[in-house]
Amino acid sequence: FEIDDLSFSGSADVATTSPASFSLSESFPNPVSTGSKIEYSLATDGLATLTLYDVTGRQIAVLATGYHSAGTHVARFDGSALPAGMYFYRLTTADASIGRSLQLIK
């Protein structure tokens, strides 16, 4: 079983709210059976990346990347091709980084 052979889907949607600070919400739902949404907020416009990692720290997928406007965004995670277990996701910008965990159950 090769992690590199798995396919992932992720997308980011922009909401119209303007946050007061940089934040990363817990995935919803958590634990996750197949899919989840992850909401994050950026205080300023800029480059941002939301990355998923396994428990060994190996990068599994990039859920969102690129230039983002300030505001609240939603990334969708599809874990149907992944094995059950604990995963971590990290939001990184030029100024800050924050991480959370999610549990994938089958």
Side-chain angles (χ1 to χ4, degrees):
F1 163 48
E2 292 284 327
I3 293 292
D4 296 336
D5 293 339
L6 299 176
S7 62
F8 301 94
S9 66
S11 63
D13 303 318
V14 179
T16 58
T17 60
S18 182
S21 67
F22 175 80
S23 67
L24 178 63
S25 298
E26 292 290 330
S27 66
F28 180 80
N30 193 5
V32 177
S33 61
T34 56
S36 178
K37 70 177 188 174
I38 300 169
E39 188 173 291
Y40 57 100
S41 296
L42 304 174
T44 60
D45 296 352
L47 295 175
T49 302
L50 181 61
T51 309
L52 180 73
Y53 300 92
D54 67 12
V55 293
T56 67
R58 183 173 39 181
Q59 181 177 314
I60 300 298
V62 175
L63 302 176
T65 189
Y67 187 85
H68 290 67
S69 59
T72 302
H73 305 265
V74 176
R76 303 201 187 285
F77 163 68
D78 177 9
S80 59
L82 291 172
M86 186 65 70
Y87 292 88
F88 302 92
Y89 53 99
R90 178 163 293 282
L91 177 63
T92 305
T93 66
D95 300 323
S97 182
I98 187 171
R100 301 244 184 256
S101 64
L102 66 84
Q103 183 177 3
L104 181 62
I105 56 175
K106 298 283 180 158

